[in-house]
Amino acid sequence: MIGADVDNSDIYDIVNKYDLVDRVWFYGACYDEPMIAKLLFNSDDYSNHGPEFEAVESGVTGDFFKKDNLDDLCLKIRSWIRLESKRRQVIRRNAYKIIDEKYNEANQIKILKKLLNRK
């Protein structure tokens, strides 16, 4: 996680509470854009990034957590980490399928052309 705990959110305690210590790295405050980009780029490989918001269906293609609720976020992360490999693969395939069907370049161009032709 990049950033300072300016509002005393107890995030360190929450990470410990949900046994996520070896999954969360607290980098601290950083205002150097190239460094932030480097950290984000190296935080995960692109094959594990989630789909567009509209493509998320809880338990099918991804999941949601309650806004501003670190406990709920940690619970969701923990439940996904504990999924069996086969189940994770099914969810990953579901996510890729909806992205391939709706969010591919050809479909996005088609949607934009349709919108532009309305005017």
Side-chain angles (χ1 to χ4, degrees):
M1 297 185 84
I2 303 169
D5 186 13
V6 295
D7 58 355
N8 299 317
S9 66
D10 298 324
I11 192 161
Y12 302 104
D13 294 333
I14 293 168
V15 167
N16 283 318
K17 177 180 174 183
Y18 291 102
D19 195 26
L20 297 170
V21 175
D22 27 337
R23 302 235 180 222
V24 179
W25 176 44
F26 294 101
Y27 183 81
C30 181
Y31 303 98
D32 178 2
E33 292 293 327
M35 177 55 82
I36 293 170
K38 188 176 181 180
L39 289 166
L40 292 175
F41 180 80
N42 290 310
S43 67
D44 200 352
D45 68 54
Y46 289 108
S47 66
N48 291 323
H49 282 266
E52 298 290 335
F53 171 80
E54 297 86 7
V56 177
E57 184 179 344
S58 287
V60 177
T61 58
D63 217 335
F64 296 101
F65 63 94
K66 295 175 189 167
K67 183 178 178 182
D68 298 326
N69 188 323
L70 291 172
D71 284 332
D72 192 49
L73 172 61
C74 289
L75 283 171
K76 296 296 170 54
I77 291 171
R78 191 174 192 193
S79 70
W80 284 96
I81 289 169
R82 291 182 172 176
L83 281 179
E84 292 179 13
S85 180
K86 286 182 182 182
R87 179 71 182 133
R88 225 177 306 165
Q89 285 293 82
V90 168
I91 292 167
R92 186 175 290 126
R93 278 194 301 272
N94 291 342
Y96 281 125
K97 182 179 181 218
I98 194 136
I99 294 300
D100 288 342
E101 290 173 356
K102 294 187 177 185
Y103 300 96
N104 64 59
E105 182 179 310
N107 194 45
Q108 293 300 304
I109 289 171
K110 184 175 149 184
I111 291 168
L112 288 171
K113 283 182 177 179
K114 187 176 179 180
L115 290 171
L116 291 171
N117 288 331
R118 284 187 186 174
K119 294 180 179 187

